[in-house]
Amino acid sequence: MALPGVEESTAYGSPALKVHGKLLACVPAHRSAEPGSLAVRVDFDDRAELLAADPDVYYVTDHYLNYTAVPVRLSRVTPDVLRDLLGMAHKFVTSHEARRSPSRSPRKHV
């Protein structure tokens, strides 16, 4: 909640954190997720690095393969690492939002 624009919300009926209405992290609702997990939004490259670096903390199921998210085993992550991960997610979600928003008005066809 210390990150700019973050608000408590829900996603698929589960508790979630959103930034400007965009999902940042949530308690995974899909049955393939392990109990005690948090799904955190990251890009595919960052997810691959996290999975390679610490497979005891981070994992992925078939359901999450095509989503820009990584499930995290909360019992195996330190508060500092989780804070950094949420910061990474915040940067991803807000920069992703910026890329999708037009930077200027559309051109008029003459």
Side-chain angles (χ1 to χ4, degrees):
M1 297 290 294
L3 296 167
V6 174
E7 59 204 18
E8 290 183 42
S9 186
T10 59
Y12 309 104
S14 295
L17 295 175
K18 294 183 180 180
V19 58
H20 305 297
K22 302 287 183 182
L23 184 63
L24 182 74
C26 68
V27 174
H30 195 266
R31 66 183 175 273
S32 69
E34 297 175 15
S37 294
L38 182 70
V40 180
R41 298 276 314 276
V42 294
D43 71 28
F44 292 115
D45 291 338
D46 286 337
R47 180 175 76 183
E49 288 180 22
L50 292 168
L51 290 168
D54 204 342
D56 289 336
V57 173
Y58 309 100
Y59 68 99
V60 68
T61 65
D62 287 346
H63 174 76
Y64 291 96
L65 284 177
N66 295 320
Y67 289 96
T68 52
V70 64
V72 180
R73 294 177 180 102
L74 291 174
S75 64
R76 297 186 181 178
V77 69
T78 67
D80 287 340
V81 170
L82 184 58
R83 187 176 305 108
D84 290 347
L85 183 63
L86 290 172
M88 179 190 298
H90 187 273
K91 184 177 178 180
F92 170 70
V93 172
T94 56
S95 68
H96 184 69
E97 181 178 280
R99 285 193 307 266
R100 294 185 67 190
S101 299
S103 59
R104 60 181 179 204
S105 301
R107 293 184 183 175
K108 294 182 180 179
H109 294 285
V110 183

